[in-house]
Amino acid sequence: AIIKRVACPDGVNTATNAACCPLFAIRDDIQENLFDGGECGEEVHESLRLTFHDAIGIGSNGGGGADGSMIVFSDIETNFHANLGIDEIVGEQKPFIAKHNITPGDFIQFAGAVGVSNCPGAPRLNFFLGRPAPLAPAPDKTVPEPFDTVDSILARFADAGNFSPVEVVWLLISHTIAAADHVDPSIPGTPFDSTPEVFDTQFFVETQLRGTLFPGTGGNQGEVESPLHGEIRLQSDHLLARDSRTNCEWQSFVNNQNKLQNRFQAVMLKLSLLGHNQDDMVDCSEVIPVPPPFTGKATFPAGLSHSDVEQACATAAFPTLATDPGPATSVAPVPPS
Ligand code: HEM
Ligand SMILES: [Ca+2]
Ligand SMILES: [Mn+2]
């Protein structure tokens, strides 16, 4: 079939639906002025985290899902304990929303999808347009905490959007481009894997290794030992990698870049539509840039090997991987913006 494209008023772009036309200028503006010219750095990581913290605000206790309530009712929601640190990216995004004609719910999900496209190895996320302005703040306790039990985490995701345990694993692919500023406040920017600027499968390798050290101080709530200097491990990621409901799905991503991309694209679409009906929205995915590829292989960090794997999945062996050469790996922090 021939798909008719419309010429956008900007005189440069064409779109399958005229409603998508204004997004090209917003995209170019945030790439230049929010994401520092197209990096996969701190603002991209925080913008992806924000897509989640806004969208998951829905369930049996109320909330409108991916509605931008984190922005409009920031005075309330950024004070919730699980949202610690989210005020920064909320503050950075607000001027772009004020400048452009877009609802905060749409902007949060759009910025997340554009930002992820800067990370080598990422899938090209979808973007659907059409979220109305939020009506009320989300209730507290909708965002899971790293010290929560697996039971409570799985229950929260099921309540929010009928996410299955396997889909919860898919959502945690996000932690391949992530760092923590507040879990151990003495070491802000400490990544969850050795490659926080690459959308690869290292997160699933490294969370399965035996924890041997705290990268900063010990005794922080929601933190357990990690296998690498400079890397932090959340208790929730540690437990999900080992729980019988999630461990085989977790391991299945090791060195499986195609599956990583495919599942993250699918589950992020579902997350971004919480509280909305896809049929009422316009598919503007064509505005999202195509991410650069990642062609490397998963490896054991230098100094570690198969004997450091805490095998959890009972039905499949951990894949055979090479070990990086050189002295024991130490991971550098993600620079602040
Ligand atoms: C069990 C569920 C989850 C828990 C307990 C959790 C917890 C956390 C915590 C504690 C941090 C560190 C925040 C800080 O100290 O700066 C973090 C960072 C992050 N999370 Fe999650 N998270 C979960 C699920 C998700 C999901 C579903 C997404 C997105 C789809 C996501 C995306 C991110 C990103 C991108 C960061 C890094 C932010 C940055 O580097 O600045 N998380 N998460
Ligand atoms: Ca990574
Ligand atoms: Mn951060």
Side-chain angles (χ1 to χ4, degrees):
I2 295 164
I3 298 168
K4 246 179 78 185
R5 299 186 68 83
V6 300
C8 291
D10 62 20
V12 179
N13 294 291
T14 63
T16 49
N17 189 309
C20 302
C21 284
L23 295 174
F24 290 103
I26 306 178
R27 177 194 68 189
D28 296 346
D29 190 12
I30 63 177
Q31 281 289 50
E32 206 47 47
N33 300 308
L34 180 61
F35 300 139
D36 307 321
E39 287 184 358
C40 176
E42 166 73 351
E43 286 83 5
V44 166
H45 303 170
E46 295 283 3
S47 293
L48 176 58
R49 182 180 179 222
L50 178 56
T51 67
F52 169 51
H53 286 226
D54 189 47
I56 204 71
I58 190 169
S60 46
N61 291 129
D67 62 356
S69 65
M70 186 72 75
I71 298 252
V72 173
F73 302 102
S74 56
D75 286 356
I76 296 167
E77 287 192 40
T78 63
N79 293 313
F80 298 162
H81 185 265
N83 291 332
L84 195 62
I86 210 99
D87 57 318
E88 260 185 59
I89 191 66
V90 164
E92 286 181 76
Q93 288 195 3
K94 274 182 180 176
F96 293 93
I97 299 168
K99 178 173 165 197
H100 295 284
N101 182 24
I102 185 169
T103 65
D106 278 340
F107 184 84
I108 288 174
Q109 299 305 320
F110 182 66
V114 170
V116 165
S117 80
N118 294 338
C119 308
R124 186 188 194 186
L125 295 181
N126 294 109
F127 175 71
F128 281 70
L129 179 78
R131 296 167 190 77
L135 300 173
D140 197 1
K141 311 285 180 193
T142 66
V143 179
E145 295 266 26
F147 48 81
D148 289 345
T149 62
V150 172
D151 278 357
S152 123
I153 290 169
L154 297 180
R156 176 78 276 274
F157 278 101
D159 178 59
N162 249 312
F163 291 101
S164 68
V166 160
E167 287 176 310
V168 172
V169 176
W170 300 357
L171 281 165
L172 283 160
I173 294 169
S174 55
H175 282 181
T176 184
I177 48 168
D181 298 312
H182 300 280
V183 175
D184 180 344
S186 72
I187 46 166
T190 303
F192 295 149
D193 79 351
S194 56
T195 55
E197 271 96 28
V198 184
F199 201 97
D200 57 8
T201 71
Q202 281 306 122
F203 171 71
F204 292 98
V205 176
E206 293 167 25
T207 49
Q208 208 72 64
L209 299 172
R210 186 173 303 106
T212 53
L213 60 91
F214 288 108
T217 64
N220 299 299
Q221 200 184 24
E223 181 187 4
V224 298
E225 286 181 314
S226 92
L228 293 176
H229 291 283
E231 178 169 305
I232 197 164
R233 180 180 289 175
L234 297 181
Q235 182 183 101
S236 47
D237 291 337
H238 179 87
L239 295 177
L240 286 163
R242 286 157 182 78
D243 190 277
S244 62
R245 289 163 287 186
T246 45
N247 57 16
C248 290
E249 190 66 14
W250 198 275
Q251 179 182 281
S252 76
F253 286 109
V254 172
N255 209 18
N256 196 340
Q257 190 72 25
N258 284 336
K259 181 176 177 182
L260 189 84
Q261 295 191 163
N262 173 287
R263 299 304 191 274
F264 193 63
Q265 183 187 55
V267 83
M268 283 304 292
L269 177 60
K270 181 170 170 176
L271 181 76
S272 75
L273 295 175
L274 287 178
H276 307 287
N277 184 345
Q278 188 170 354
D279 299 338
D280 303 337
M281 303 173 79
V282 180
D283 186 352
C284 296
S285 303
E286 62 195 355
V287 182
I288 306 301
V290 177
F294 168 76
T295 51
K297 285 185 160 68
T299 56
F300 291 118
L304 298 171
S305 71
H306 201 281
S307 63
D308 299 296
V309 171
E310 285 181 338
Q311 180 68 36
C313 174
T315 54
F318 197 85
T320 300
L321 307 176
T323 291
D324 288 335
T329 303
S330 183
V331 185
V334 175
S337 33

